[in-house]
Amino acid sequence: MVEIGDYCLNLEDLVTTIGALVAALLAYRLGLRAYFTQKEYENVRSRYLDSGVEIVSTQIDYVLGVFRHNWMLTLRTARQYRELEGEVSVDDFMKQFREVDQEKFQLTPIYRTKPLLNNDVLWRAYQDVFAFVGTTNNEIKSDFLGVLNGLLKKPDSADKKGFLKQVEVFTKEQETEANKYYSILNYLHQIAEILEKGKYTYKNIYNLHKTKEFSIIVTSLNKIFPKEQSPKI
């Protein structure tokens, strides 16, 4: 025969046990949800920042580095030709000249940036900067180096002064043109900072373009790289 006191005690134990189990289950589910949410944050960061924006920045920085190196090499060689004509060597120039590694032009990282802006302006800018450096390299080799090689074979040529003036104009124009491509790195840095500071899921990452910060970035980039001027490469 069960005593009333014992029955009440057992009932209290049962309620306590059930309560503990429910609390444990809720804690487990909340912990599991927090775990998967954190994993989603990490996956989004890896996909859109580490494997997207950061790689694109590195590639653009690389190709602009090629431009800067060859641009400075051209200026230095022109100065040597003006002051020390006999010490200029076309072979030495070509040994120092850098070609663009086309493997640096990768599609996947730049495609990953499009959902962030809901716009293809970064893709246009990305193509444009590689096209700019490739075209500049070709012009340096064909126009600058080709003419220089001919002039070196004719030391008394009256074309020397005119050639050096053309080189001055060319390098100034290319430097001015390059400035807009350095602006891409600035905007990519701004995007990276936003992604670094926030915690984004796959759902809300696609709404970033609606924010004021991203709207300003898109508008600014579209002014610098209008759609109708985008190159085809």
Side-chain angles (χ1 to χ4, degrees):
M1 182 174 179
V2 180
E3 296 294 333
I4 295 298
D6 293 338
Y7 176 77
C8 291
L9 181 61
N10 290 337
L11 182 60
E12 289 176 359
D13 289 343
L14 180 61
V15 171
T16 301
T17 300
I18 292 175
L21 289 173
V22 170
L25 180 60
L26 286 174
Y28 171 76
R29 294 192 64 179
L30 289 173
L32 194 62
R33 179 181 296 177
Y35 169 78
F36 282 114
T37 299
Q38 181 61 36
K39 289 298 293 183
E40 186 172 7
Y41 292 155
E42 294 171 3
N43 289 338
V44 167
R45 179 189 174 95
S46 175
R47 178 178 178 83
Y48 295 103
L49 178 60
D50 301 335
S51 300
V53 173
E54 294 290 3
I55 292 180
V56 172
S57 294
T58 299
Q59 293 164 341
I60 292 176
D61 192 41
Y62 156 76
V63 77
L64 287 174
V66 171
F67 162 78
R68 193 72 182 178
H69 172 84
N70 292 339
W71 179 83
M72 293 179 67
L73 177 62
T74 302
L75 280 178
R76 186 167 62 249
T77 303
R79 184 169 61 251
Q80 290 174 342
Y81 174 60
R82 183 180 64 244
E83 300 172 359
L84 306 166
E85 183 176 309
E87 297 185 15
V88 176
S89 169
V90 172
D91 290 337
D92 286 345
F93 182 95
M94 286 308 301
K95 287 178 182 178
Q96 298 178 66
F97 188 83
R98 293 181 185 175
E99 298 286 358
V100 175
D101 181 359
Q102 292 302 323
E103 290 187 2
K104 300 293 186 180
F105 185 88
Q106 299 174 11
L107 299 180
T108 300
I110 190 64
Y111 279 157
R112 284 177 176 162
T113 66
K114 185 174 180 180
L116 302 176
L117 277 66
N118 194 35
N119 195 287
D120 64 357
V121 65
L122 273 178
W123 166 235
R124 298 200 306 272
Y126 184 72
Q127 294 179 84
D128 206 352
V129 66
F130 271 85
F132 164 71
V133 178
T135 300
T136 300
N137 273 3
N138 289 337
E139 290 177 347
I140 290 174
K141 288 187 294 184
S142 61
D143 297 339
F144 171 75
L145 203 58
V147 175
L148 177 63
N149 191 39
L151 290 174
L152 288 174
K153 295 176 181 179
K154 299 183 296 180
D156 299 326
S157 174
D159 297 331
K160 178 178 179 178
K161 186 176 181 179
F163 166 71
L164 291 172
K165 182 61 178 179
Q166 290 177 346
V167 173
E168 181 183 355
V169 172
F170 171 76
T171 52
K172 285 184 177 179
E173 289 177 346
Q174 297 309 98
E175 182 181 31
T176 300
E177 181 73 7
N179 286 335
K180 73 177 185 180
Y181 299 111
Y182 284 102
S183 70
I184 307 174
L185 295 175
N186 174 51
Y187 290 117
L188 285 171
H189 177 69
Q190 292 181 38
I191 294 172
E193 279 194 329
I194 294 171
L195 295 179
E196 287 170 352
K197 292 177 181 178
K199 291 185 175 181
Y200 300 101
T201 64
Y202 284 107
K203 181 178 180 179
N204 60 30
I205 196 75
Y206 297 121
N207 290 321
L208 274 177
H209 69 275
K210 299 177 181 178
T211 64
K212 181 180 179 180
E213 293 87 350
F214 270 70
S215 179
I216 292 173
I217 291 172
V218 171
T219 300
S220 299
L221 282 170
N222 272 309
K223 287 181 179 178
I224 301 171
F225 302 98
K227 201 164 190 176
E228 62 273 11
Q229 294 182 14
S230 179
K232 303 298 181 182
I233 63 173

